Amino acid sequence: MTRLLKDILMIVAGTLLYALALTFLAIPNNLADGGLPGLSIILHYAFGWSPGIVNFILASIILLIGYRVLPRRTIFLTAITAPLISFFIYITEGRAESLGDPLVSAIFAGFFIGIGAGLIFRTGSSMGGTSVIARMFNHNLGWDLTRTNFVLDAAVVSSGLFIIGPLHTMYTIVSLFVGKKATDLIIEGLDTRKAVSVISAYAPEITDEVVLQMKTSATVFEGYGGYLKENADMAYIIINKYQIMKLKRIINSVDDKAFVVIHDVRDVFGGSFSWPKKS
């Protein structure tokens, strides 16, 4: 019950932020969006229809048709999310004026839309729009989920060419890009981890120093060099981004000829990292 309450509060915050970004930044500056909210906004520009009411009608229809392909919990949360977005859009539409700078508006609209969407997606909910349609195509026709969702959103944004013109459509694409980055930031968090692979004849010694000086675990794999045709061990270490420089110094002090590869990883838990807390 505690988890459900937290999810509902997060959905309320996310939908409110999402709606305000649309009604205070996107719509007054003649920008659109992807998904059903974007389609509702374009219909608003074309016919003067309320984007809040249109979004509610379209989302309800799609959710009623596609509920069979969604998990039960997702259906419940989406049934809360979609009406809330529509409600917040409805009560705030027409209450703001243009900032006079579409590019700045697009950047900040995308930022706040992305944060709102990230909060919603973290609960396991969906917007009840193109993502549900993509799931239906995937379930019935076997179409790729991600590609189908991208094509649907691209079709919505492209339709804006005939309503808001190519310039504001390009501003909308800028907004979508910023929104995607902001959503990733909320979902993945600020404390990103780094995976470090160290190929060295002294890999065991490197891991010993890492454990001793950094108080974190490390793993040694036995390997074979394809170029020199010699055995070459590899140390595999997970650290946070603030420990990179210290790790480099440790590696260099043990073997200044070691081959090091560093890349981003997500959702690290277990070992010396804690497991996610149970709700």
Side-chain angles (χ1 to χ4, degrees), residues 202-233:
Y202 302 95
E205 288 82 357
I206 291 173
T207 58
D208 289 342
E209 289 299 317
V210 168
V211 172
L212 178 65
Q213 297 187 39
M214 303 184 70
K215 308 301 181 184
T216 189
S217 62
T219 304
V220 177
F221 297 98
E222 293 184 356
Y224 180 76
Y227 182 74
L228 296 176
K229 308 300 180 184
E230 297 176 352
N231 292 332
D233 291 339

Side-chain angles (χ1 to χ4, degrees), residues 83-263:
L84 274 178
I85 290 177
S86 303
F87 174 72
F88 287 136
I89 291 175
Y90 179 73
I91 64 174
T92 58
E93 61 189 51
R95 296 181 179 272
E97 297 181 357
S98 172
L99 295 179
D101 191 330
L103 179 58
V104 172
S105 301
I107 292 172
F108 280 92
F111 177 72
F112 290 117
I113 285 172
I115 292 177
L119 292 174
I120 293 169
F121 293 149
R122 285 197 67 157
T123 68
S125 181
S126 72
M127 301 291 189
T130 52
S131 59
V132 178
I133 298 175
R135 280 183 179 270
M136 286 192 288
F137 282 124
N138 174 261
H139 180 75
N140 296 315
L141 302 175
W143 292 8
D144 181 79
L145 192 63
T146 304
R147 291 180 182 178
T148 304
N149 196 63
F150 172 78
V151 169
L152 292 171
D153 282 343
V156 171
V157 175
S158 298
S159 66
L161 282 168
F162 306 100
I163 307 298
I164 60 177
L167 180 61
H168 285 83
T169 299
M170 287 187 283
Y171 285 140
T172 298
I173 294 172
V174 171
S175 177
L176 291 174
F177 177 79
V178 174
K180 173 64 168 59
K181 295 298 182 182
T183 300
D184 290 343
L185 181 67
I186 294 299
I187 293 175
E188 298 171 10
L190 293 170
D191 188 18
T192 56
R193 306 289 180 175
K194 299 288 185 180
V196 182
S197 300
V198 184
I199 300 175
S200 168
Y202 302 95
E205 288 82 357
I206 291 173
T207 58
D208 289 342
E209 289 299 317
V210 168
V211 172
L212 178 65
Q213 297 187 39
M214 303 184 70
K215 308 301 181 184
T216 189
S217 62
T219 304
V220 177
F221 297 98
E222 293 184 356
Y224 180 76
Y227 182 74
L228 296 176
K229 308 300 180 184
E230 297 176 352
N231 292 332
D233 291 339
M234 184 183 77
Y236 188 75
I237 308 158
I238 303 291
I239 56 174
N240 65 51
K241 59 185 178 182
Y242 305 108
Q243 297 175 301
I244 286 292
M245 294 308 298
K246 184 174 182 179
L247 178 61
K248 287 181 178 179
R249 287 195 293 269
I250 292 173
I251 295 170
N252 187 65
S253 67
V254 178
D255 181 10
D256 59 1
K257 294 183 173 59
F259 180 75
V260 181
V261 179
I262 302 173
H263 50 93

